[in-house]
Amino acid sequence: MDQSDFDRPQNDPRAQRVIRSIERFATEFDRRVPREHANEVLYESVPLEGEVIRQGPERFIEEHLIRDVADALGYQYRPQPKGFKGLGDDTPDFTITNVDVIVIGELKAPNGIEKAQSESISYLDQAEDRPLVGIASDGWTWIKYTASEGDQPTFSNHCSLRQVIRDIAREQSVDRSPHRDRSELRRRCYDFVSAFSAEDVGKSVETKQG
């Protein structure tokens, strides 16, 4: 296999790691969430009920999906960071410590991307640090904003993992459900890892020189 083979979307090792993360999540999701409610969450955008899983939904999705995907993307993930200029005592959900920009991450439970996006924008508007990257996610959808020196944050990327999560969850929950071709799934994750990998986040905005 030459370098051109490795560069093909279906062969991207980061995409493969994301698939493995989703597979682990789907196993836990199937174990914890009753079938009827799982279908509502996956296919009808119904909020995940904490009473059903006996855990806060936001904590569940962070613990069993987002942290694992973050690791697959190459993030050194730090939850509940403090010390951002302009935020006072407010605490974002996470930051990334191995990139050359400030990252403010905001998480919500599945199907809560609009709230995650709204709170992320609020944090970014207040933050004084530059260059700055904001990431909002509910596990299903990931949105990225960027701001260079002297600029207000602007929309950068929007990627959805919902269909990949649905397909893998269906495999693991339905008897004799056909397994999806992993090269197909990796291809579908390629744009996501290309936009949200640690390498890409680190070069999303230009650092002021001098």
Side-chain angles (χ1 to χ4, degrees), residues 177-196:
S177 175
H179 280 229
R180 296 279 175 169
D181 182 347
R182 282 336 188 224
S183 64
E184 173 196 343
L185 293 178
R186 288 193 296 271
R187 187 182 300 110
R188 284 158 53 184
C189 287
Y190 182 75
D191 289 343
F192 170 66
V193 297
S194 296
F196 286 88

Side-chain angles (χ1 to χ4, degrees), residues 130-187:
R130 295 290 187 275
L132 178 69
V133 173
I135 297 175
S137 179
D138 65 348
W140 294 178
T141 302
W142 295 62
I143 298 174
K144 183 171 67 176
Y145 297 88
T146 59
S148 299
E149 295 286 350
D151 294 334
Q152 291 300 306
T154 57
F155 172 83
S156 177
N157 294 95
H158 175 287
C159 292
S160 176
L161 296 176
R162 182 184 292 271
Q163 191 58 52
V164 175
I165 293 169
R166 284 175 175 173
D167 289 344
I168 292 175
R170 185 183 300 113
E171 284 181 8
Q172 298 191 6
S173 65
V174 180
D175 291 341
R176 293 195 278 282
S177 175
H179 280 229
R180 296 279 175 169
D181 182 347
R182 282 336 188 224
S183 64
E184 173 196 343
L185 293 178
R186 288 193 296 271
R187 187 182 300 110

Side-chain angles (χ1 to χ4, degrees), residues 2 5-6 17 33 35 42 47 49 73-74 82 115 137 141 147-148 153 164 189 198 210:
D2 60 26
D5 292 319
F6 284 111
R17 290 194 290 270
V33 186
R35 184 68 52 83
L42 286 169
E49 296 181 7
L73 293 170
K82 301 289 287 186
K115 189 173 182 180
S137 179
T141 302
S148 299
V164 175
C189 287

Side-chain angles (χ1 to χ4, degrees), residues 9-201:
Q10 64 268 33
N11 294 326
D12 192 308
R14 300 169 303 172
Q16 177 63 27
R17 290 194 290 270
V18 170
I19 294 299
R20 295 299 184 213
S21 298
I22 295 173
E23 288 173 340
R24 288 189 289 269
F25 167 74
T27 298
E28 183 68 11
F29 189 78
D30 184 52
R31 186 180 74 84
R32 297 274 296 276
V33 186
R35 184 68 52 83
E36 182 177 353
H37 186 47
N39 287 337
E40 291 175 337
V41 174
L42 286 169
Y43 300 104
E44 300 175 25
S45 297
V46 170
L48 180 63
E49 296 181 7
E51 294 81 2
V52 173
I53 60 173
R54 302 181 68 84
Q55 185 178 19
E58 185 176 318
R59 175 60 179 161
F60 173 80
I61 201 70
E62 180 182 24
E63 181 179 349
H64 296 290
L65 180 60
I66 291 174
R67 290 288 295 268
D68 208 1
V69 170
D71 184 64
L73 293 170
Y75 296 176
Q76 289 182 8
Y77 183 102
R78 177 179 294 167
Q80 302 293 303
K82 301 289 287 186
F84 295 108
K85 295 179 181 178
L87 297 190
D89 293 331
D90 291 340
T91 304
D93 288 319
F94 73 93
T95 190
I96 304 169
T97 63
N98 61 326
V99 296
D100 293 329
V101 295
I102 300 296
V103 177
I104 294 178
E106 185 62 23
L107 309 176
K108 292 300 173 190
N111 301 315
I113 188 58
E114 291 183 1
K115 189 173 182 180
Q117 187 176 12
S118 175
E119 293 191 12
S120 178
I121 292 172
S122 178
Y123 277 136
L124 298 176
D125 284 341
Q126 298 174 61
E128 299 173 7
D129 293 296
R130 295 290 187 275
L132 178 69
V133 173
I135 297 175
S137 179
D138 65 348
W140 294 178
T141 302
W142 295 62
I143 298 174
K144 183 171 67 176
Y145 297 88
T146 59
S148 299
E149 295 286 350
D151 294 334
Q152 291 300 306
T154 57
F155 172 83
S156 177
N157 294 95
H158 175 287
C159 292
S160 176
L161 296 176
R162 182 184 292 271
Q163 191 58 52
V164 175
I165 293 169
R166 284 175 175 173
D167 289 344
I168 292 175
R170 185 183 300 113
E171 284 181 8
Q172 298 191 6
S173 65
V174 180
D175 291 341
R176 293 195 278 282
S177 175
H179 280 229
R180 296 279 175 169
D181 182 347
R182 282 336 188 224
S183 64
E184 173 196 343
L185 293 178
R186 288 193 296 271
R187 187 182 300 110
R188 284 158 53 184
C189 287
Y190 182 75
D191 289 343
F192 170 66
V193 297
S194 296
F196 286 88
S197 69
E199 179 184 13
D200 182 85
V201 169

